[in-house]
Amino acid sequence: MASTDVARQPGQGVRPLSLAGHVGFDSLPDQLVNKSICQGFCFNILCIGETGIGKSTLMDTLFNTNFENLESSHFEPQVKLHAQTYDLQESNVRLRLTVVNTVGFGDQMNKQESYQPVVDYIDRQFESYLQEELKIKRSLHNYHDSRVHACLYFISPSGHSLKSLDLVTMKKLDSKVNIIPVIAKADTISKSELHKFKIKIMSELVSNGVQIYQFPLDDETVAKVNTTMNGHLPFAVVGSTEEVSVGNKMVKARQYPWGVVQVENESHCDFVKLREMLICVNMEDLREQTHTRHYELYRRCKLEEMGFKDTDPECKPVSLQQTYEAKRQEFLVELQKREDEMRQMFVQRVKEKESELKEAERDLQGRFEQLKRLHADEKAALEEKKRLLDEDQSSFGKRRAAAQLLQAQSLTANGKKDKDRKNIKRQTQVALWADLGRCCYYTGGINDSRT
Amino acid sequence: IRLFRNTQTCFSRTSCTDLFGYVGIEAVLDQMRRKTMKVGLEFNIMVVGQSGLGKSTLVNTLFKSKVSRKSCTPNCEEKISKTVKLHSVSHVIEEKGMKMKLTVIDTPGFGDQINNENCWEPIVKHINEQYEKYLREELHINRKRRIPDSRVHCCIYFLPATGHRLRPIDVEFMKRVGKIVSIVPVIAKADTLTIEERQEFKERIRQDLAANGIRVYPQKEYDDDPEERILNDRIRESIPFAVVGTDKEHQVNGNKVLGRKTKWGIIEVENVAHCEFANLRDLLIRSHLQDLKDVTHNIHYETYRVRRLNESNMNFSELGLSARPLENGTADTSESESHL
């Protein structure tokens, strides 16, 4: 019996006991399974491969459904990731499956940055799990786990070797996710070529130090199967959702003029092996590896980056609390500095504004003075005109008095002098009218200037 | 296989297609079973009660082995300890390939002194220490693959079969400890009560528990779905279980049964008509073992964690992880041991 983790733990005085009867805790796996059935399972697959290599078709074939993916164009400027979540149910097991596809991978002219969006996506999922784990009030058992559990890397069936893009991408991803390489559209390669191709791929991966996912060998029930399968990597797969009648059955297949490639026929391609390995045998292990290896590595790197350590330079264990406090003080100090800076800037701006306003005030004052002077000048001119008018008026009054006197004298003298007198009267009248006219002219002028 | 498609953030069903064909998702259940068998199981149980109530015998009967050594009656010369000392013993037991590391934490001296005020304090301290240990492990940068779990999953509290009501010490203990751990109260040495007396006693205890706001396992608030609620309601109607413990076997009707032999008959421990030991065993081990562990991990431990992190003002989202400004002023850096 293989030793279990429990028995392996060093216990102080832990001795094995023998049971005198049936206690019943062997039902624990069933209890656990029942709980999990209620909660449902979660599985996230990332498919990386060039456009048109058959990622969506393979997913459809693998899960026996139609995920309704549209064909993507070849002209994407950048690699993008497109994730979709599905709820599948088989008998009483519910699975929340997320399929993430790369869109535009391998289509650009310059593929140097092609791997970056993929790495970023995977890191983002780890980050959100880490955030949830570090929260004070957290609900990890209800959390929708979006970390990528398995990555299917689609190799195009050239028959020669891996492309440099493949090597670079896989190298970047092997410490972040479980990579399972598959050879897509395997019906274009003949059996002997396929064998050579597989050997070439595996040797290239080994020589470049790429760590792909190895099926676990520590559980005897599956060790044998897994060892065989490890030898068949990478799986050469063919995907198809169309059914063709072969013999008297309808099977999933691709129909060619020269024959029919059956998807579920083990001698035609490795599809059944892939399905076995990915789903039936190792789904739980994939999830566990993601959580205990890849996620822990990410967490460790992230926390170390932030400056948290387990041990001091003197190798004494430092509690997270102390490091946290130190960081917090740093943060507070920096905050204080920034606050001071802002305050200074504020004071300076206020000063500038003040001086501006003062200048404006002075300007305004100057203009006011100017206007006042103008006003005074105009007033003086008008006074002058008024004086002239008054003079004219008084001279006109005098002349009128003189004319009236003359009239009175002519009335007391008699005779012929009437006509002369009338002429003189008329003349004086005309002169008076002319004066009056002039006065009116002046008055009218003053009236005008007064208004 | 049925398919319901969702978009990533909203989980409403948009389309449903019925398609046939084997995928093999069911096999994940087997994978889980295998993993559990491989990993094994840790279970920590604490027994609390006055001396002489049959705690050790009950534990031995539950796990059908000599888990605890029974303490013999102390002589007059032996001093009764001034404080409650906790005594924990671990064993590894295996059944049908399933290995379990069982730790029994005994509390000799509880309720034995003349002045029993604060006798729960060492117990509360121990429980919180286990939570603290786990929390520290969890906060490490380099974490172990499987954090050793020494948290108390279940606390069996022994009530003496007085037939009357809960005593003040019972109320005080259960009130305080019921907040931090799952308590299962049992009536000890129940063969001194007749069936009617037993029913009345239980009814009065249930009233007292409700009157004092004491929540015992299974707590109503943590029922997930209606099925579970029905099951747990039935259990709640019959707590506290009246138990009798023994490790001696006798012949009854040609079968060997566990029982206590007296002049007036043999009390069969596993007979449901005689006492409720079988119910207790089924609850603890056969049906709710995983649930006890889950409640401890998801609820009691999380409550402790929240309190602890708030006390030390550790809010990681304030630091590098997100750029929100601090709300409170300088931190209170006292790393005080939290006690109730």
Side-chain angles (χ1 to χ4, degrees):
Chain A
M1 186 66 79
S3 65
T4 65
D5 285 0
V6 162
R8 251 188 268 134
Q9 271 177 20
Q12 313 87 335
V14 180
R15 58 186 172 101
L17 273 183
S18 53
L19 294 173
H22 177 65
V23 176
F25 57 86
D26 57 338
S27 65
L28 182 84
D30 293 322
Q31 292 179 31
L32 199 61
V33 159
N34 281 335
K35 264 216 168 210
S36 305
I37 288 183
C38 293
Q39 277 181 341
F41 293 90
C42 201
F43 196 56
N44 309 318
I45 303 184
L46 168 67
C47 294
I48 308 185
E50 297 168 0
T51 318
I53 207 169
K55 306 187 283 287
S56 317
T57 316
L58 187 69
M59 284 293 113
D60 286 351
T61 326
L62 208 61
F63 290 102
N64 255 329
T65 72
N66 183 3
F67 286 135
E68 284 168 41
N69 284 310
L70 305 160
E71 281 180 19
S72 32
S73 91
H74 282 265
F75 290 93
E76 300 282 343
Q78 257 189 333
V79 177
K80 282 198 295 247
L81 282 100
H82 183 54
Q84 271 180 310
T85 311
Y86 307 94
D87 271 339
L88 307 175
Q89 183 161 359
E90 188 175 67
S91 61
N92 58 347
V93 179
R94 280 179 306 133
L95 179 73
R96 177 157 277 169
L97 175 77
T98 305
V99 179
V100 188
N101 270 319
T102 51
V103 175
F105 190 79
D107 275 340
Q108 292 82 29
M109 302 285 275
N110 179 2
K111 295 181 242 198
Q112 267 181 336
E113 293 298 310
S114 291
Y115 67 84
Q116 196 59 47
V118 183
V119 169
D120 287 342
Y121 177 83
I122 297 175
D123 279 345
R124 266 205 305 277
Q125 309 315 310
F126 282 150
E127 181 65 34
S128 54
Y129 190 87
L130 183 64
Q131 294 252 18
E132 181 67 29
E133 200 187 14
L134 288 180
K135 265 197 210 163
I136 292 194
K137 267 209 167 65
R138 60 188 191 180
S139 58
L140 274 180
H141 55 280
N142 279 334
Y143 179 74
H144 169 54
D145 191 3
S146 58
R147 302 173 290 182
V148 176
H149 299 127
C151 169
L152 290 178
Y153 194 94
F154 288 73
I155 301 171
S156 58
S158 61
H160 293 185
S161 62
L162 284 176
K163 301 203 189 122
S164 44
L165 173 66
D166 296 339
L167 277 172
V168 163
T169 316
M170 281 205 263
K171 194 84 177 73
K172 289 276 174 197
L173 293 176
D174 69 353
S175 59
K176 291 196 183 283
V177 78
N178 303 315
I179 300 187
I180 303 177
V182 293
I183 302 174
K185 300 201 173 173
D187 49 350
T188 51
I189 318 183
S190 70
K191 251 212 161 41
S192 50
E193 279 178 1
L194 186 65
H195 190 62
K196 274 190 245 153
F197 190 33
K198 281 193 188 183
I199 295 179
K200 189 80 180 19
I201 292 180
M202 291 309 278
S203 67
E204 276 198 345
L205 288 176
V206 164
S207 61
N208 280 289
V210 175
Q211 286 187 322
I212 55 172
Y213 175 71
Q214 295 289 325
F215 300 118
L217 301 172
D218 44 2
D219 187 353
E220 317 94 13
T221 29
V222 292
K224 201 148 157 275
V225 173
N226 280 345
T227 339
T228 344
M229 293 302 176
N230 273 330
H232 279 122
L233 280 174
F235 294 127
V237 292
V238 175
S240 167
T241 43
E242 288 160 2
E243 304 217 327
V244 173
S245 76
V246 169
N248 50 356
K249 287 194 296 173
M250 295 290 280
V251 291
K252 287 195 283 255
R254 287 176 63 78
Q255 177 139 56
Y256 291 109
W258 47 87
V260 176
V261 179
Q262 292 161 39
V263 166
E264 283 172 329
N265 187 337
E266 295 222 36
S267 59
H268 287 198
C269 71
D270 293 333
F271 172 79
V272 174
K273 294 200 186 77
L274 174 68
R275 186 175 59 194
E276 272 274 314
M277 285 293 103
L278 189 63
I279 303 175
C280 307
V281 178
N282 294 312
M283 196 196 277
E284 197 54 40
D285 185 68
L286 282 165
R287 283 159 37 134
E288 193 174 326
Q289 291 284 344
T290 309
H291 180 67
T292 52
R293 206 149 57 103
H294 302 295
Y295 170 71
E296 286 295 314
L297 182 66
Y298 175 82
R299 178 180 175 275
R300 202 180 319 150
C301 293
K302 193 73 197 304
L303 290 180
E304 274 173 3
E305 212 179 272
M306 281 179 27
F308 290 103
K309 285 191 289 286
D310 269 340
T311 55
D312 244 339
E314 297 103 47
C315 281
K316 270 190 285 158
V318 168
S319 83
L320 204 61
Q321 165 130 18
Q322 290 171 327
T323 330
Y324 176 82
E325 280 308 322
K327 289 215 132 246
R328 197 162 187 268
Q329 288 303 106
E330 254 181 62
F331 186 69
L332 280 173
V333 160
E334 199 185 308
L335 209 64
Q336 189 67 22
K337 227 194 329 175
R338 265 196 265 161
E339 207 182 312
D340 287 338
E341 264 177 50
M342 278 192 99
R343 199 169 285 141
Q344 273 185 354
M345 208 165 48
F346 178 71
V347 165
Q348 201 181 355
R349 285 251 189 88
V350 165
K351 278 212 190 94
E352 277 175 28
K353 225 19 185 235
E354 249 185 42
S355 58
E356 261 178 54
L357 285 174
K358 277 218 174 75
E359 244 190 71
E361 205 184 322
R362 259 179 284 143
D363 252 350
L364 220 58
Q365 195 76 1
R367 275 211 294 182
F368 178 66
E369 296 289 311
Q370 210 183 20
L371 279 175
K372 219 163 118 177
R373 258 179 282 135
L374 268 171
H375 183 79
D377 282 345
E378 256 190 45
K379 197 164 167 196
L382 282 174
E383 292 286 307
E384 184 67 32
K385 278 204 189 147
K386 187 167 178 227
R387 197 176 50 85
L388 282 172
L389 181 63
D390 279 342
E391 269 180 30
D392 266 340
Q393 255 191 345
S394 60
S395 69
F396 169 70
K398 276 191 217 131
R399 254 187 267 150
R400 192 165 88 171
Q404 278 180 342
L405 201 58
L406 222 58
Q407 211 178 27
Q409 279 176 350
S410 66
L411 270 176
T412 50
N414 44 14
K416 305 191 252 198
K417 294 198 183 146
D418 269 347
K419 221 181 178 185
D420 291 334
R421 256 187 274 132
K422 277 201 181 130
N423 280 337
I424 294 168
K425 201 173 163 189
R426 211 177 293 125
Q427 278 176 15
T428 20
Q429 271 188 349
V430 167
L432 274 173
W433 276 118
D435 273 340
L436 202 61
R438 236 183 307 144
C439 279
C440 283
Y441 171 73
Y442 278 132
T443 330
I446 290 179
N447 278 343
D448 272 340
S449 67
R450 272 218 201 106
T451 51
Chain B
I1 191 177
R2 273 204 260 124
L3 161 71
F4 307 98
R5 192 204 321 168
N6 306 302
T7 54
Q8 205 173 12
T9 44
C10 80
F11 298 124
S12 60
R13 301 183 186 158
T14 48
S15 75
C16 166
T17 349
D18 259 319
L19 286 166
F20 56 88
Y22 171 73
V23 176
I25 298 179
E26 267 188 312
V28 75
L29 299 179
D30 270 333
Q31 296 173 30
M32 275 197 97
R33 276 206 194 89
R34 275 203 314 270
K35 188 173 89 158
T36 319
M37 305 273 283
K38 185 167 83 107
V39 164
L41 140 82
E42 277 173 312
F43 192 59
N44 308 319
I45 193 169
M46 180 187 273
V47 284
V48 184
Q50 286 172 300
S51 24
L53 280 182
K55 304 189 288 287
S56 316
T57 316
L58 185 73
V59 173
N60 287 346
T61 323
L62 262 178
F63 293 101
K64 289 222 165 56
S65 47
K66 289 233 177 328
V67 178
S68 340
R69 264 174 284 126
K70 284 179 274 192
S71 50
C72 1
T73 41
N75 300 334
C76 308
E77 291 104 48
E78 278 181 21
K79 284 198 238 167
I80 299 178
S81 57
K82 285 244 170 66
T83 52
V84 178
K85 282 208 203 70
L86 284 99
H87 183 60
S88 98
V89 176
S90 298
H91 301 275
V92 171
I93 42 185
E94 183 184 332
E95 190 174 54
K96 294 209 185 119
M98 185 77 221
K99 276 209 165 78
M100 168 154 100
K101 178 170 177 230
L102 172 74
T103 307
V104 177
I105 304 157
D106 202 354
T107 54
F110 179 84
D112 283 341
Q113 285 89 35
I114 295 192
N115 182 358
N116 282 315
E117 275 177 8
N118 301 331
C119 60
W120 51 81
E121 266 177 23
I123 297 174
V124 168
K125 182 157 161 263
H126 180 265
I127 295 174
N128 283 335
E129 264 169 24
Q130 308 315 310
Y131 286 148
E132 182 68 28
K133 227 197 284 184
Y134 194 90
L135 180 66
R136 281 203 189 280
E137 275 295 331
E138 203 191 15
L139 286 181
H140 263 167
I141 307 290
N142 285 318
R143 296 202 284 212
K144 296 203 185 92
R145 203 181 173 104
R146 195 152 280 110
I147 302 176
D149 190 3
S150 58
R151 303 171 290 188
V152 178
H153 298 128
C154 171
C155 173
I156 305 186
Y157 187 71
F158 285 73
L159 297 163
T162 59
H164 292 185
R165 315 195 76 100
L166 285 181
R167 300 164 303 156
I169 187 177
D170 301 332
V171 171
E172 282 304 315
F173 180 85
M174 285 203 271
K175 226 200 278 198
R176 284 164 205 278
V177 177
K179 290 197 198 116
I180 54 174
V181 89
S182 306
I183 292 195
V184 176
V186 296
I187 303 174
K189 299 204 168 169
D191 47 344
T192 52
L193 297 171
T194 63
I195 302 288
E196 296 82 27
E197 282 169 0
R198 187 199 291 174
Q199 285 305 111
E200 282 173 11
F201 186 33
K202 283 214 256 186
E203 187 54 47
R204 274 188 233 124
I205 291 182
R206 278 198 292 270
Q207 284 170 3
D208 277 348
L209 288 176
N212 283 293
I214 298 173
R215 284 164 24 223
V216 298
Y217 182 83
Q219 292 98 333
K220 249 199 196 114
E221 304 87 47
Y222 308 142
D223 287 338
D224 282 329
D225 47 55
E227 274 176 31
E228 211 179 310
R229 182 156 304 149
I230 297 176
L231 186 68
N232 286 348
D233 275 343
R234 236 181 291 142
I235 297 174
R236 279 189 277 265
E237 275 162 31
S238 50
I239 51 160
F241 293 117
V243 293
V244 176
T246 184
D247 45 6
K248 297 204 175 54
E249 288 188 332
H250 302 273
Q251 289 274 23
V252 171
N253 297 342
N255 300 331
K256 256 181 174 286
V257 287
L258 276 176
R260 283 173 63 77
K261 187 163 181 197
T262 60
K263 285 255 155 54
W264 48 91
I266 295 182
I267 303 158
E268 292 164 46
V269 162
E270 281 174 327
N271 188 339
V272 234
H274 290 196
C275 77
E276 291 174 333
F277 169 80
N279 297 359
L280 176 71
R281 178 200 54 205
D282 287 347
L283 173 75
L284 280 187
I285 301 176
R286 294 196 187 163
S287 58
H288 283 71
L289 185 61
Q290 184 59 38
D291 191 51
L292 277 165
K293 289 175 53 140
D294 283 344
V295 165
T296 309
H297 181 63
N298 293 335
I299 297 169
H300 296 298
Y301 170 69
E302 287 296 318
T303 318
Y304 177 81
R305 182 177 175 276
V306 166
R307 191 157 47 93
R308 197 76 177 81
L309 291 186
N310 272 332
E311 265 174 25
S312 37
N313 272 321
M314 274 170 93
N315 193 350
F316 287 92
S317 43
E318 293 168 353
L319 276 189
L321 292 180
S322 80
R324 267 185 294 139
L326 289 168
E327 284 130 27
N328 42 8
T330 49
D332 171 20
T333 61
S334 58
E335 202 170 314
S336 55
E337 184 93 60
S338 52
H339 49 261
L340 292 169

